[in-house]
Amino acid sequence: MSTGLNLEKVPMDEMDGRILRTIQKHPELAVAELAERVGLSHTPCWRRLKRLQASGVIERNAVILNPKRLGLEAVVFASIRLKQHDEETLDAFETAIRNLPQIVECFSMSGDSDYQLRIVVANIEAYHDFLKKIVLHLPGVASVNSHFALNTVKLTTDLPI
């Protein structure tokens, strides 16, 4: 996905790293509490947060929901192969993917498949319907190879910083 953003590495010091590690674990912290935990006063901490947001290091804040508590029991990894690889087909496929809430992750891949999707649905039957009615009709799809997660061993949004 080309965003048009400047994706150069942002220079950071150890304090920036401390702030980022802390807010990854505790995004609910108010700036005053974050500042106390990392050893800064409120204003310098707030300025650093604003700089990290403005530079794109912090993209957004998110709430992590428990899918099983919401009745979303099935996690499916679908490897997608396209019929052709022209820019129009790739763009149409990627645009369609972005509009499907069941697809929570999509990666353009090297190797045997063109895309890897992580799909979250209520159950296998719901995936079967989604596959037949939606996925197989996405622009350019030639084949889909589906794998069902049996258990979640590790799932994190924390980056190794």
Side-chain angles (χ1 to χ4, degrees):
M1 177 173 98
S2 175
T3 60
L5 298 174
N6 179 359
L7 296 179
E8 292 180 21
K9 185 177 177 191
V10 175
M12 294 189 300
D13 61 15
E14 176 53 35
M15 183 56 70
D16 291 332
R18 224 182 294 164
I19 289 170
L20 292 173
R21 285 188 295 277
T22 303
I23 63 172
Q24 278 191 133
K25 297 283 184 210
H26 306 285
E28 74 284 354
L29 291 178
V31 175
E33 193 174 349
L34 174 63
E36 184 178 319
R37 286 194 187 199
V38 300
L40 277 177
S41 60
H42 182 279
T43 301
C45 185
W46 179 84
R47 283 189 190 124
R48 283 176 180 263
L49 271 175
K50 290 299 173 192
R51 181 179 52 77
L52 291 166
Q53 290 168 341
S55 68
V57 171
I58 299 173
E59 286 189 16
R60 61 189 168 97
N61 298 331
V63 173
I64 308 297
L65 303 177
N66 183 321
K68 290 188 179 189
R69 296 278 186 173
L70 296 168
L72 301 169
E73 298 281 337
V75 176
V76 184
F77 294 92
S79 299
I80 306 292
R81 280 184 148 177
L82 299 181
K83 296 173 190 169
Q84 54 197 48
H85 299 90
D86 59 278
E87 185 176 356
E88 184 179 324
T89 301
L90 297 172
D91 287 347
F93 178 84
E94 291 175 9
T95 297
I97 290 298
R98 289 185 191 101
N99 294 319
L100 297 169
Q102 298 90 335
I103 299 172
V104 296
E105 291 183 305
C106 174
F107 297 94
S108 176
M109 303 296 291
S110 65
D112 292 336
S113 62
D114 297 309
Y115 291 92
Q116 182 73 33
L117 311 179
R118 183 167 68 96
I119 301 169
V120 178
V121 290
N123 51 43
I124 292 173
E125 183 180 343
Y127 177 68
H128 184 248
D129 289 344
F130 184 65
L131 176 67
K132 281 192 331 185
K133 294 176 182 174
I134 306 293
V135 177
L136 292 172
H137 300 285
L138 289 169
V141 170
S143 67
V144 179
N145 188 353
S146 303
H147 302 274
F148 295 88
L150 300 176
N151 186 29
T152 301
V153 176
K154 180 178 181 180
L155 179 63
T156 183
T157 59
D158 293 355
L159 294 177
I161 53 171

